[in-house]
Amino acid sequence: MKLSLWLFVGLVMGSSLFAQPKGYNYEEAKVPEYTLPELLLMADGTRVKTVKQWETQRRPEILDLFKKEMYGRAPGKPASLKFSVFDEQKVLKGKAIRKQVEVQFAGKADGPRMTLLIYLPAKAKKPVPTFLTLNFRGNHTVTDDPAIRLPHSWVRGRTKGEAVNNRATENGRGVAKSRWNVTNILKRGYGLATIYYGDIDPDFDDGWENGVHALYPKPKPDEWGSIATWAWGLSRALDYFETDKDIDHKQVAVMGHSRLGKTSLWAGAADQRFALVISNNSGCGGAALSRRAFGETVKRINTSFPHWFNDNFLKYNDNENACPVDQHMLVALAAPRPVYIASAVGDSWADPNGEFLSGKHANPVYQLYGFKGLPASKQPPVDKPVMGTIGYHVRSGKHDVTDFDWEQYMNFADKHLKKKR
Ligand code: GCU
């Protein structure tokens, strides 16, 4: 690209395009040489030839390695899990049904709990396919709707007055609405369900005292870090969907941005009830290949966010090649379900090409099922999505969730989910 064009792009986007932490590699030519662990080579040295071998041997092996070495093992569904639908009514001029559901992890209103906010198209005649996402700042930030309950748990304030002493305030209402085009999602025939991630596990290194961790012993080195815990919360939302006749629980797409994109990929791997998986700008520990050490590295992520992964993952600081898995294997764990990976040009920290490559290198598993996987041999041009059973785009702009991203997710879901209705 010509320098003048870069300058133009830089001006349009403000500093964000170039605001990448210093001291990390952002040049393709400087990516170290690496060999990816082989997706289809089993621990006993034999090669996967059939879907059956993948499903009964190699997939469980890889899933277990990710649990043991990176995200951590999580408990199952708690026996005392309870759902309380405390709000259900028509909103948005009669076009939508809004529900709010308290999910009580220990079956108690004064114990750890999360609030699910759900919008469904009012005119739906059948249970609707639904996007399930976590949000960063509270359910009340997703729309201006004054009836959305403020989070009860820890929040990180960003805008002035949005949080006081880490408690959400009215000032936060609607502040994240540009990321959630609720009207459009409903118009396209989908539901949207969201949970504030801090309800499940507050996003700081708290010694595992808060959120759902209060109910369990302190995690061992191979047990759940925060990403696995947030993913666990997504599975509990799916448990609720199984009880709600307005939602098609077999057609749920789990979507997340950034650290919550890492979470959606892991949720889709750990819980095969999710029908479709979407990673938006998930980067290191998400879709980006760790061995490339492009932008954020394993050491950096483990240092800045020691609570995201389990303690075993620390072994791979500056030592990515020793890890028995890399992130193409995480994408492959979604197979044969559709996965969409989205990058942004201005998000070098997340390694857009590394995100693309993990999709591409997941292809052999999709091919076992007779699917094409990601139909591109190199990263497609900016703003030109490609969609096989794996979809990918790199859009113009910065690290964010935009209407363009949602447009592609819905097109992709139309291709893979709606036809089954
Ligand atoms: C930081 C972090 C990323 C993460 C992002 C986010 O930039 O280094 O790994 O994806 O925060 O979640 O916003």
Side-chain angles (χ1 to χ4, degrees), residues 21 136 158 179 197 203 257-262 280-286 296 300-301 304-305 308-309 347 349-350 399:
F136 278 89
R158 296 200 196 173
R179 286 188 173 177
Y197 81 137
D203 190 3
H257 169 59
S258 208
R259 68 198 69 183
L260 303 179
K262 309 181 206 301
N280 192 88
N281 306 177
S282 63
C284 181
E296 189 170 28
R300 162 74 190 228
I301 205 167
S304 316
F305 308 101
W308 283 3
F309 303 93
D347 189 21
W349 185 236
H399 185 72

Side-chain angles (χ1 to χ4, degrees), residues 148-173:
I148 299 172
R149 183 155 99 170
L150 293 185
H152 60 276
S153 41
W154 169 95
V155 291
R156 180 189 299 109
R158 296 200 196 173
T159 312
K160 213 166 170 230
E162 199 187 317
V164 174
N165 296 332
N166 296 118
R167 294 289 147 206
T169 75
E170 280 297 329
N171 287 354
R173 205 169 283 286

Side-chain angles (χ1 to χ4, degrees), residues 143-210:
T143 73
D144 289 324
D145 186 344
I148 299 172
R149 183 155 99 170
L150 293 185
H152 60 276
S153 41
W154 169 95
V155 291
R156 180 189 299 109
R158 296 200 196 173
T159 312
K160 213 166 170 230
E162 199 187 317
V164 174
N165 296 332
N166 296 118
R167 294 289 147 206
T169 75
E170 280 297 329
N171 287 354
R173 205 169 283 286
V175 293
K177 65 182 176 200
S178 70
R179 286 188 173 177
W180 312 90
N181 194 336
V182 177
T183 324
N184 206 24
I185 293 172
L186 295 169
K187 233 190 245 160
R188 299 267 308 243
Y190 293 100
L192 175 70
T194 186
I195 309 155
Y196 169 53
Y197 81 137
D199 280 0
I200 307 163
D201 187 16
D203 190 3
F204 62 96
D205 195 8
D206 64 353
W208 310 113
E209 283 178 2
N210 301 311

